[in-house]
Amino acid sequence: MSAELPSSPPHHLFPNRFFYRPAAVRSSLTRRAIKLICSVFLSFLLVAGILLFVLWLALRPHRPRFHVLSFSAAGLSSPGDGGGLSFNFNVSVRNPNGKISISYDSIFCSVYYRSDRVGSGRPMPAAAPFYQPPKNTKAVSGEASGVAPAPAAAMIAGEEAEGSVGFRLEMTSVIRFSVSTLDTRRHRLHVSCNVDVGGADGLITVGSKNKRCSIYFL
């Protein structure tokens, strides 16, 4: 009498052992592929961010530097309607960047006594458009003229009699920073220089000469 072979358990007791599920395998492979793509993408963003940060540290642009070299005012004794004021100035423009150049549009100037504009260089600019390479200094010379309003004229004449008068030279331009052939967006530049003049000739005082101006981007 032959031995009986043990009977196999019913298939419904072990479904995963006997049936192949292609949908589950495809879903698992898809999840793995998505995880891999996300990991590669995040790694790329991290490396790109680090490189951009290092590049910014190496090439971050510094603002140009303006210093008043000379400044004179004529007509201080009669700055109102009976005469008028005329100004001459010389300013140094320094690009302190080591690898970044600066391109300037025309530079326009105005002279203020407190809040009153008493001199203007328009329509002629103080400087035509120019290109400034890295670590370069350029001299900008200009003229301005105008008539002070009656209240300001009286105060200017009074300060002139006491020995010195304070003015504010303001210059405006539009600049662009450049690295090789790449240009940044245009920045509207505003320069403000406080200067004192004194004496019969209206020349800049010692304390105002070579004084650094304030720089703003509008």
Side-chain angles (χ1 to χ4, degrees), residues 110-199:
S110 297
V111 179
Y112 287 80
Y113 174 78
R114 300 188 180 183
S115 60
D116 295 310
R117 186 168 69 175
V118 295
S120 175
R122 292 181 180 273
M124 295 300 295
F130 64 92
Y131 167 83
Q132 190 170 38
K135 297 295 184 181
N136 174 263
T137 301
K138 176 180 175 62
V140 172
S141 300
E143 299 178 352
S145 60
V147 175
M155 289 187 287
I156 291 173
E159 290 185 14
E160 190 267 342
E162 294 177 358
S164 67
V165 184
F167 292 100
R168 187 174 71 255
L169 171 65
E170 296 196 357
M171 292 170 285
T172 58
S173 183
V174 175
I175 67 173
R176 294 179 303 278
F177 296 100
S178 303
V179 181
S180 185
T181 58
L182 300 177
D183 293 339
T184 66
R185 64 182 180 86
R186 295 160 65 89
H187 301 272
R188 186 170 295 277
L189 178 71
H190 185 100
V191 183
S192 181
C193 313
N194 293 317
V195 293
D196 293 330
V197 297

Side-chain angles (χ1 to χ4, degrees), residues 21-170:
R21 295 186 174 183
V25 173
R26 285 197 299 270
S27 177
S28 177
L29 292 176
T30 301
R31 287 196 299 269
R32 292 181 181 179
I34 292 174
K35 290 181 179 179
L36 178 61
I37 293 173
C38 289
S39 298
V40 172
F41 181 70
L42 291 175
S43 299
F44 172 78
L45 287 181
L46 178 62
V47 173
I50 293 174
L51 290 177
L52 288 175
F53 180 69
V54 172
L55 183 64
W56 177 80
L57 288 177
L59 299 177
R60 57 180 174 176
H62 295 283
R63 296 178 179 185
R65 297 172 186 169
F66 286 68
H67 292 81
V68 180
L69 301 179
S70 65
F71 185 94
S72 64
L76 295 177
S77 59
S78 56
D81 292 334
L85 293 165
S86 60
F87 304 92
N88 288 274
F89 65 87
N90 192 297
V91 176
S92 69
V93 184
R94 173 71 176 172
N95 177 8
N97 296 286
K99 297 181 180 179
I100 300 175
S101 58
I102 304 176
S103 297
Y104 290 80
D105 287 358
S106 297
I107 297 179
F108 292 94
C109 70
S110 297
V111 179
Y112 287 80
Y113 174 78
R114 300 188 180 183
S115 60
D116 295 310
R117 186 168 69 175
V118 295
S120 175
R122 292 181 180 273
M124 295 300 295
F130 64 92
Y131 167 83
Q132 190 170 38
K135 297 295 184 181
N136 174 263
T137 301
K138 176 180 175 62
V140 172
S141 300
E143 299 178 352
S145 60
V147 175
M155 289 187 287
I156 291 173
E159 290 185 14
E160 190 267 342
E162 294 177 358
S164 67
V165 184
F167 292 100
R168 187 174 71 255
L169 171 65
E170 296 196 357

